[in-house]
Amino acid sequence: MHATFWAAVIISLGCCAFALPELEQWEEYKKIHGKSYPDPAKDAFHFAIFQQAVKRINEHNAKFQAGEVTYSKRLAVFSDLPEDQWPYRAKLTLPDNLVEHNIQKAVEGQEIPDAIDWRKLGYVTGVKNQGNCGDCYIFAAIGSLEAFSARVTGILWTLSEQNIRECYRDRDHICDGGDIGSVFTFVAQNQGGRIDPENYYPYNDNIADCKYNYDNAVNTTVRKFLSYTGEDTLKTLVGLYGPVTVIIHASNAFGEAHKEVFYDPTCTENDSGNHAVLAVGYGTDPNYGDYWIIKNSWGTTWGDEGYVKMARNRGSNCHIGKWAFIPSQ
């Protein structure tokens, strides 16, 4: 066991701030995130990284309290890991022969709302956790398929990522990233637009043989996907159609984002897309400006119960709005 270190600091664990000695905070952190390091040397290694994270988050939150930045930070499940082990390093690719679609003619004459939150309208399932696999593109695609199916059938089904994880691709490469369009195409062409519900095909950290069951599957009616670019177009899509799958650049700062409106001035629209998420709404904060409501796939202990507000209309900050995808009939 480490020597007691009674330097009190204030950090955020969950939604509350705790003034605790660092070792007590360390034990609480491990309890919250289900971590255990029986080897004292390994525990010390992760504790040292945790201490750095505490310092980094405290310094950032002091700037937030002073009005120098637009969002707060909190410890995440990976805050005691080296940054190269954080979960957003997937390589996301764009579909072959990608076509940018034009939505303006289809929505001509329709009024786009100033703000919307599809969670309140019954089109968004609970926050999920992709674990240590780099398959965010599957989770983000399934999120928009759930909403698409709800619009068509009137029923919001929680659909199975595990169905896709185990059936659509070589299991040795499923966690290495991929392209969102191919997920929609696989469901449409290989499973007849159907996906098993999660209660029939539950998530498992392991990836085994395909167990897709046509008789249990929900018919989402998807036949293809459409791709779009630009934040104005994304607002139209989210405002009129529902949750949309988007590619972002998840910077180091994004990994520990918490409340208010996340804006990273070091992150631009030209940074590579390395994470896929679901845009479920948008609005405007009177203090911090326009934002997107983003559903992530890192569990409810990340961000604000699994969500984060990302800056909107600030030059596609962190790549948001560069590419958006929706399923279609």
Side-chain angles (χ1 to χ4, degrees), residues 15 64 70-73 257-262 303-304 308-309:
C15 64
F64 174 69
T70 61
Y71 69 102
S72 62
K73 283 188 175 186
H258 188 203
K259 290 192 174 182
E260 306 315 332
V261 179
F262 172 76
D304 186 5
V308 71
K309 292 177 180 176

Side-chain angles (χ1 to χ4, degrees), residues 294-323:
I294 297 299
K295 179 187 180 184
N296 202 356
S297 53
W298 293 346
T300 56
T301 62
W302 180 85
D304 186 5
E305 299 298 321
Y307 290 87
V308 71
K309 292 177 180 176
M310 290 187 69
R312 180 167 62 93
N313 296 330
R314 298 197 70 173
S316 294
N317 187 244
C318 286
H319 202 82
I320 194 163
K322 290 291 287 184
W323 283 106

Side-chain angles (χ1 to χ4, degrees), residues 34-246:
K35 299 198 171 200
S36 176
Y37 302 114
D39 181 355
K42 187 170 288 189
D43 190 80
F45 171 77
H46 290 283
F47 178 55
I49 298 174
F50 170 83
Q51 287 178 299
Q52 294 170 6
V54 168
K55 182 175 183 294
R56 177 175 63 246
I57 290 169
N58 285 340
E59 290 175 349
H60 176 92
N61 287 344
K63 292 180 180 179
F64 174 69
Q65 292 297 327
E68 298 174 18
V69 293
T70 61
Y71 69 102
S72 62
K73 283 188 175 186
R74 70 184 290 191
L75 289 166
V77 65
F78 40 81
S79 291
D80 69 329
L81 301 176
E83 287 184 352
D84 62 3
Q85 294 180 27
W86 287 19
Y88 49 74
R89 303 298 182 181
K91 296 177 181 178
L92 297 183
T93 56
L94 295 175
D96 294 334
N97 303 317
L98 185 66
V99 176
E100 179 187 342
H101 293 85
N102 190 325
I103 198 173
Q104 297 310 317
K105 187 174 182 179
V107 301
E108 189 174 0
Q110 297 186 57
E111 184 176 351
I112 303 167
D114 292 332
I116 197 164
D117 185 345
W118 289 100
R119 295 174 297 181
K120 298 177 180 178
L121 299 173
Y123 285 79
V124 183
T125 62
V127 172
K128 305 177 186 181
N129 193 336
Q130 70 188 72
N132 295 322
C133 181
D135 58 351
C136 56
Y137 60 103
I138 294 176
F139 282 78
I142 292 296
S144 55
L145 278 167
E146 289 170 335
F148 176 76
S149 176
R151 287 199 303 274
V152 173
T153 68
I155 302 172
L156 178 65
W157 290 92
T158 300
L159 300 177
S160 170
E161 287 81 13
Q162 196 72 10
N163 174 181
I164 310 304
R165 281 158 57 91
E166 293 187 338
C167 298
Y168 113 107
R169 191 175 168 196
D170 179 352
R171 74 179 68 172
D172 293 332
H173 298 97
I174 200 74
C175 294
D176 296 334
D179 81 74
I180 293 159
S182 69
V183 177
F184 296 131
T185 300
F186 171 80
V187 174
Q189 295 182 359
N190 294 70
Q191 296 192 167
R194 295 173 176 266
I195 307 176
D196 281 332
E198 189 169 36
N199 59 328
Y200 282 102
Y201 203 148
Y203 176 84
N204 191 311
D205 257 341
N206 299 317
I207 299 175
D209 294 332
C210 178
K211 295 177 284 291
Y212 169 69
N213 187 318
Y214 180 90
D215 293 333
N216 293 333
V218 174
N219 186 4
T220 68
T221 74
V222 63
R223 294 293 177 267
K224 61 183 178 180
F225 72 93
L226 303 175
S227 50
Y228 300 89
T229 187
E231 280 198 274
D232 288 342
T233 299
L234 180 57
K235 180 184 177 183
T236 300
L237 289 169
V238 177
L240 297 180
Y241 286 91
V244 176
T245 302
V246 294

